[in-house]
Amino acid sequence: AVLFALFLIDRIIHLKNGEIALQGLKGEKINLSSSLVPRSYTVLRTAFRKSFATGEDFSLLVLYALLGEQDIKEALKRLDVIPSEFALKVSVALAASRVTIDQEATFALIESILNDAYKVAVATNEKFIFPRNIFLGLLNQAHPAVSRIFNLFDLKASELREALLFSRYVNRLAGI
């Protein structure tokens, strides 16, 4: 019973972590999905399913879902962008985006986003791939509708990375 209780306590402590830390990934071909925190995986899975069910653009669905994350909202505020206005522009773009879904192209896009998110996570010393890393990975894609929204608010990858990094530490230090 004590051993089971210790197991449950350990699972609760690591509930919001991925299965394998980024430092533990080795080799040429690595499975980045095992380093996603549950929230990151949920965002990608939900956007994928909704994209195929409704015909909406996958990238815009991911972007819209990520706007619900607190550190992304905080970073946008630091860059003088009102998160609700940003979300409104994304929802307008979503309403106008009815595309033919190509499953292979969507898988390739997910892989590209995760590769960029992995690079950002490693560069910022993250243990796992968080939604904020996916947000930056999405920014690095050459998707016209997403790029148009980021350009509309004059958001640059380097500035956004710094704001996200700062919001990451602000949330940790808020309880002190």
Side-chain angles (χ1 to χ4, degrees):
V2 172
L3 191 58
F4 183 69
L6 289 174
F7 171 76
L8 285 178
I9 291 170
D10 182 59
R11 286 301 297 163
I12 291 171
I13 289 172
H14 300 295
L15 189 62
K16 293 184 178 181
N17 293 343
E19 294 175 25
I20 301 174
L22 293 174
Q23 294 77 13
L25 297 175
K26 304 277 189 241
E28 283 184 33
K29 289 196 157 242
I30 54 176
N31 184 1
L32 293 176
S33 67
S34 59
S35 290
L36 292 172
V37 297
R39 184 68 188 128
S40 295
Y41 181 78
T42 301
V43 164
L44 291 172
R45 184 190 69 220
T46 304
F48 182 79
R49 287 182 176 175
K50 189 171 183 183
S51 174
F52 277 89
T54 63
E56 293 175 313
D57 186 270
F58 172 77
S59 297
L60 291 171
L61 286 168
V62 170
L63 182 60
Y64 191 76
L66 290 171
L67 292 175
E69 299 295 317
Q70 189 58 40
D71 34 346
I72 293 173
K73 287 180 186 177
E74 188 68 35
L76 289 174
K77 287 178 190 174
R78 291 194 177 285
L79 296 172
D80 296 325
V81 174
I82 300 170
S84 59
E85 285 183 19
F86 195 90
L88 180 65
K89 294 296 182 189
V90 174
S91 62
V92 167
L94 262 173
S97 75
R98 292 288 181 241
V99 294
T100 304
I101 305 301
D102 178 12
Q103 189 171 6
E104 293 301 317
T106 304
F107 285 145
L109 178 60
I110 292 170
E111 185 177 339
S112 179
I113 290 170
L114 283 180
N115 282 333
D116 285 344
Y118 169 76
K119 290 174 188 172
V120 169
V122 168
T124 56
N125 290 327
E126 300 268 14
K127 288 185 178 181
F128 303 101
I129 299 174
F130 290 93
R132 60 182 164 260
N133 306 124
I134 293 174
F135 190 70
L136 286 168
L138 190 60
L139 174 61
N140 293 333
Q141 303 305 306
H143 189 279
V146 173
S147 297
R148 196 173 316 118
I149 293 170
F150 280 110
N151 290 336
L152 180 67
F153 290 95
D154 196 30
L155 294 175
K156 310 270 186 287
S158 59
E159 295 171 352
L160 198 51
R161 180 181 305 154
E162 289 173 9
L164 283 167
L165 189 62
F166 189 72
S167 69
R168 166 184 162 194
Y169 290 111
V170 165
N171 290 338
R172 286 185 184 173
L173 299 174
I176 296 178

